[in-house]
Amino acid sequence: SQTIHQWPATLVQPVGSPLSLECTVEGTSNPNLYWYRQAAGRGLQLLFYSVGIGQISSEVPQNLSASRPQDRQFILSSKKLLLSDSGFYLCAWSEKGVAKNIQYFGAGTRLSVL
Amino acid sequence: ILNVEQSPQSLHVQEGDSTNFTCSFPSSNFYALHWYRWETAKSPEALFVMTLNGDEKKKGRISATLNTKEGYSYLYIKGSQPEDSATYLCAFNFGNEKLTFGTGTRLTIIP
């Protein structure tokens, strides 16, 4: 069966520090991968998605970047965090071509930038 | 800009009562409408995916309907139980890799 791992669960970082959140999927190959953010009082906003190694689509201009160095690894990064980067970050995956793009989510990372 | 709207934003329901809430989405270029349940301290989980106008899906006490011509979907919960407390998200799909999520309806069941 497929599983998705996302870490860390909680992170407190000072403004201006770098960020690296990692997500890995097991039990499937060539998945679509996604990074979402939920800001306080708002829905899930798609930040990045990837359909393959090295292929990243950015949905909103922001202080963040994403990379997919391996088939089942998706990394969310920032060189210098802003206060506005605080929020809850979710990684998700979906299987290509089937099941109407049902997405399966990780447990999330709560990021507080102080 | 694609707007997927959910109402109400939050809802308190007495245990045993039935309830429903709404997801509105663009009626053009429709491909699929998803419902997810997001319980506190857990990951969002898919409840239903609907693709055809008039679709009705059911899972236990929870059901959903779809009207693609007018651009709305209803989620119904019959005989609410405390374990139904969660945020319910709908998401719209054009047929590509992306989902556009609504802001969710936060449901609290009062024992």
Side-chain angles (χ1 to χ4, degrees), chain A residues 31-53:
Chain A
N32 295 323
L33 295 172
Y34 308 85
W35 278 110
Y36 290 90
R37 175 170 60 199
Q38 184 192 35
R42 302 180 68 179
L44 289 179
Q45 181 185 36
L46 180 62
L47 301 176
F48 302 94
Y49 72 96
S50 170
V51 298
I53 295 174

Side-chain angles (χ1 to χ4, degrees), chain B residues 3-53:
Chain B
N3 284 326
V4 179
E5 299 183 354
Q6 291 187 247
S7 63
Q9 284 191 335
S10 66
L11 193 55
H12 289 75
V13 174
Q14 201 70 38
E15 182 177 352
D17 288 352
S18 297
T19 187
N20 65 84
F21 27 93
T22 308
C23 173
S24 301
F25 53 86
S27 54
S28 59
N29 298 320
F30 177 84
Y31 183 73
L33 192 283
H34 297 221
W35 280 101
Y36 288 79
R37 176 168 59 198
W38 191 1
E39 296 178 67
T40 302
K42 294 186 178 180
S43 309
E45 290 186 337
L47 284 172
F48 306 114
V49 181
M50 295 181 286
T51 58
L52 298 175
N53 184 44

Side-chain angles (χ1 to χ4, degrees), chain B:
Chain B
I1 296 177
L2 173 60
N3 284 326
V4 179
E5 299 183 354
Q6 291 187 247
S7 63
Q9 284 191 335
S10 66
L11 193 55
H12 289 75
V13 174
Q14 201 70 38
E15 182 177 352
D17 288 352
S18 297
T19 187
N20 65 84
F21 27 93
T22 308
C23 173
S24 301
F25 53 86
S27 54
S28 59
N29 298 320
F30 177 84
Y31 183 73
L33 192 283
H34 297 221
W35 280 101
Y36 288 79
R37 176 168 59 198
W38 191 1
E39 296 178 67
T40 302
K42 294 186 178 180
S43 309
E45 290 186 337
L47 284 172
F48 306 114
V49 181
M50 295 181 286
T51 58
L52 298 175
N53 184 44
D55 256 355
E56 290 188 34
K57 299 275 186 176
K58 187 175 181 181
K59 185 181 289 187
R61 295 177 291 98
I62 304 177
S63 60
T65 61
L66 180 67
N67 183 323
T68 61
K69 294 183 178 179
E70 296 182 36
Y72 65 84
S73 175
Y74 292 134
L75 189 81
Y76 300 90
I77 302 178
K78 185 177 178 181
S80 303
Q81 299 298 309
E83 59 265 29
D84 297 328
S85 294
T87 296
Y88 292 83
L89 297 166
C90 70
F92 181 83
N93 180 221
F94 279 115
N96 56 20
E97 301 84 7
K98 300 186 291 184
L99 294 180
T100 300
F101 282 86
T103 52
T105 292
R106 187 180 183 118
L107 175 65
T108 304
I109 306 303
I110 305 166

